[in-house]
Amino acid sequence: MSQDLTRRTVLAVLAGGAAFLVKKANGQIVWQVNASRCINSRLFEAGVEACNLCTTECVVALSAVRAVNEYSKCGRCNICPAYFNITSAVNELGQPSEKLCPRDAIARKAIGKVDPEDPANNFYEYIIDEEKCDGCGKCVMKCKEPLGLGSITLRVRYDKCVNCNYCSILKACPQNALMQLPIDQAL
Ligand code: SF4
Ligand code: SF4
Ligand code: SF4
């Protein structure tokens, strides 16, 4: 390889870096959780402990990562394994008596034509309160087949993220599951 080519290559790399910095300065590059890699996502084993590093490793006091329920993929189940602790005692309505979320950040609302007598006849919307959620991943881990459909995933919320040059969560993540994206391609 000639010296010229080497110099051109170096300049090209530097120019790429400069372009990256400009894009970042314009807020166009953002961090996001890659759900196809995150241990908690529906693609990984059910029943193991959820990974909570997205909660503990973020530089922001209440992590910038939140659980997000994609309603179009949600089964609107009566016995939602992300909402209820399905191993808790069953109450008089035939439902588990305890909730799963340690921060009580998931609300449940019957939708459509509601049967007040029998909860099993209804469909439910599960709404995550992002001011309470700290992205611990417990509900994400439970929303898996056969009981859940994997509609809940962890996501970096851009209004809360300070967009570190090198995301602290990525440094700790066992799955290398934080990625950078142009904001117009981001979730
Ligand atoms: S640190 Fe990685 S594996 Fe753990 S919850 Fe975050 S993205 Fe998932
Ligand atoms: S990620 Fe954790 S805090 Fe957030 S809604 Fe799910 S269980 Fe609750
Ligand atoms: S880039 Fe920084 S603020 Fe954003 S999720 Fe990662 S550690 Fe948190």
Side-chain angles (χ1 to χ4, degrees), residues 144-161:
K144 293 183 179 186
E145 289 175 347
L147 295 178
L149 297 179
S151 63
I152 308 179
T153 52
L154 290 179
R155 294 195 194 162
V156 175
R157 289 315 220 184
Y158 308 130
D159 58 331
K160 306 190 186 317
C161 176

Side-chain angles (χ1 to χ4, degrees), residues 42 69-76 143 148-153 155:
R42 72 183 174 84
N69 190 11
E70 206 171 321
Y71 297 123
S72 63
K73 293 184 181 163
C74 178
R76 299 178 165 79
C143 182
L149 297 179
S151 63
I152 308 179
T153 52
R155 294 195 194 162

Side-chain angles (χ1 to χ4, degrees), residues 9-171:
T9 308
V10 170
L11 286 173
V13 169
L14 288 175
F20 169 80
L21 287 175
V22 169
K23 280 186 183 171
K24 190 165 166 62
N26 290 338
Q28 293 177 348
I29 297 285
V30 291
W31 290 99
Q32 191 48 268
V33 176
N34 183 345
S36 69
R37 289 193 176 174
C38 174
I39 287 168
N40 300 326
S41 82
R42 72 183 174 84
L43 299 171
F44 287 79
E45 194 181 345
V48 299
E49 282 295 302
C51 173
N52 72 346
L53 291 174
C54 272
T55 300
T56 58
E57 300 305 311
C58 183
V59 298
V60 176
L62 184 67
S63 175
V65 177
R66 297 289 188 275
V68 174
N69 190 11
E70 206 171 321
Y71 297 123
S72 63
K73 293 184 181 163
C74 178
R76 299 178 165 79
C77 322
N78 174 31
I79 307 295
C80 167
Y83 178 78
F84 291 113
N85 171 1
I86 57 171
T87 62
S88 62
V90 173
N91 64 19
E92 65 284 358
L93 296 171
Q95 298 166 330
S97 49
E98 294 171 14
K99 293 180 189 172
L100 179 82
C101 175
R103 297 175 62 86
D104 198 18
I106 308 180
R108 162 184 162 105
K109 190 176 87 175
I111 52 172
K113 191 164 179 279
V114 177
D115 178 350
E117 305 296 323
D118 185 356
N121 278 338
N122 300 325
F123 289 101
Y124 296 88
E125 196 167 71
Y126 293 93
I127 305 139
I128 295 166
D129 182 339
E130 295 195 7
E131 296 313 308
K132 288 186 182 173
C133 174
D134 67 358
C136 78
K138 283 191 165 66
C139 60
V140 182
M141 175 57 85
K142 294 294 179 186
C143 182
K144 293 183 179 186
E145 289 175 347
L147 295 178
L149 297 179
S151 63
I152 308 179
T153 52
L154 290 179
R155 294 195 194 162
V156 175
R157 289 315 220 184
Y158 308 130
D159 58 331
K160 306 190 186 317
C161 176
V162 296
N163 205 11
C164 311
N165 278 327
Y166 188 48
C167 173
S168 288
I169 301 171
L170 175 59
K171 288 180 202 166

